[in-house]
Amino acid sequence: DEREQARKMLHHHKNISGAKLYWIDGNHEDRLQKIIWRNAQGFADMVDDLPKALELDKWCEAYVPYGKHVEFLGFIITHGTIARMHSGYTAKAMLDRYHSSGCSGHTHRMGSHSSTDHRGVSHTWYEIGYGARKDLEYTKAPADWQQGFLIGTVRGGALHPQLVRVIETKRGRGFVADGEYYKVG
């Protein structure tokens, strides 16, 4: 069911946005594959070729394995493999690793860290939050995660990223992007 939902989601996003989509594997896909290989050999084909199962070649520019990245106009996009205790700390560690602007979602938190290199070029790394439900079965207490995402606009040959946080109030949840307010669920 979840594979079918993912295929539908990719089809929907490709058709409404016309944007280039990239599938970037994370630790959850990697963990599932290892569990199946260890405990349920008969189901190995469910994750053994995830790009084929999700028909990624139809919807995505590329499939990026866990631990790898995509570079777009000098901006690194990856799931991430580093997790630090506080929001923004992971962004600093990722910036220290890549020495480039970029983003990752591994921690499910939102934050950023900026620095200027020896050439006087400024770089910022973004932790981009998450978009899943807040009432996940495997969390025992409220997780230190923030709902949100990163959008980018290309101007002057560069990607201009913007963190967008979903704000929760007594009236509901929503976010503002490009000056418009969007209500969430």
Side-chain angles (χ1 to χ4, degrees):
D1 289 346
E2 289 177 357
R3 285 190 303 181
E4 185 58 31
Q5 288 173 0
R7 278 193 294 265
K8 286 179 180 177
M9 179 199 68
L10 289 166
H11 177 261
H12 176 74
H13 285 301
K14 182 68 173 185
N15 286 337
I16 65 168
S17 71
K20 292 180 179 180
L21 300 179
Y22 293 84
W23 182 277
I24 302 175
D25 258 358
N27 57 302
H28 295 265
E29 293 86 358
D30 190 55
R31 187 181 317 136
L32 174 63
Q33 187 171 42
K34 288 177 181 176
I35 289 169
I36 289 176
W37 283 347
R38 193 171 37 246
N39 300 312
Q41 289 295 321
F43 294 99
D45 66 320
M46 290 177 64
V47 294
D48 196 34
D49 194 355
L50 189 62
K52 184 177 178 184
L54 294 177
E55 302 172 330
L56 296 182
D57 58 332
K58 286 184 181 180
W59 316 115
C60 297
E61 297 296 313
Y63 165 80
V64 181
Y66 180 49
K68 304 295 182 187
H69 68 271
V70 171
E71 187 171 338
F72 181 74
L73 298 175
F75 189 85
I76 303 294
I77 305 166
T78 185
H79 177 79
T81 56
I82 298 173
R84 297 291 188 257
M85 185 175 194
H86 301 292
S87 175
Y89 287 25
T90 299
K92 181 186 182 320
M94 293 296 287
L95 182 58
D96 289 347
R97 173 178 284 174
Y98 282 95
H99 306 287
S100 174
S101 292
C103 66
S104 53
H106 181 57
T107 64
H108 302 236
R109 288 192 297 262
M110 296 190 74
S112 65
H113 181 80
S114 300
S115 69
T116 302
D117 68 19
H118 66 282
R119 297 168 296 167
V121 177
S122 178
H123 300 284
T124 302
W125 195 276
Y126 301 89
E127 293 175 67
I128 62 172
Y130 81 111
R133 297 184 346 249
K134 292 173 68 173
D135 62 340
L136 299 171
E137 299 81 20
Y138 55 85
T139 57
K140 303 290 186 227
D144 184 17
W145 301 342
Q146 295 84 48
Q147 290 182 315
F149 53 94
L150 184 104
I151 57 175
T153 304
V154 176
R155 293 284 189 272
L159 179 70
H160 298 269
Q162 178 184 7
L163 272 178
V164 178
R165 185 168 168 239
V166 175
I167 304 293
E168 188 167 350
T169 67
K170 292 178 183 178
R171 293 182 170 175
R173 297 179 317 138
F175 62 90
V176 173
D178 290 330
E180 294 288 327
Y181 177 77
Y182 298 90
K183 188 170 174 72
V184 177

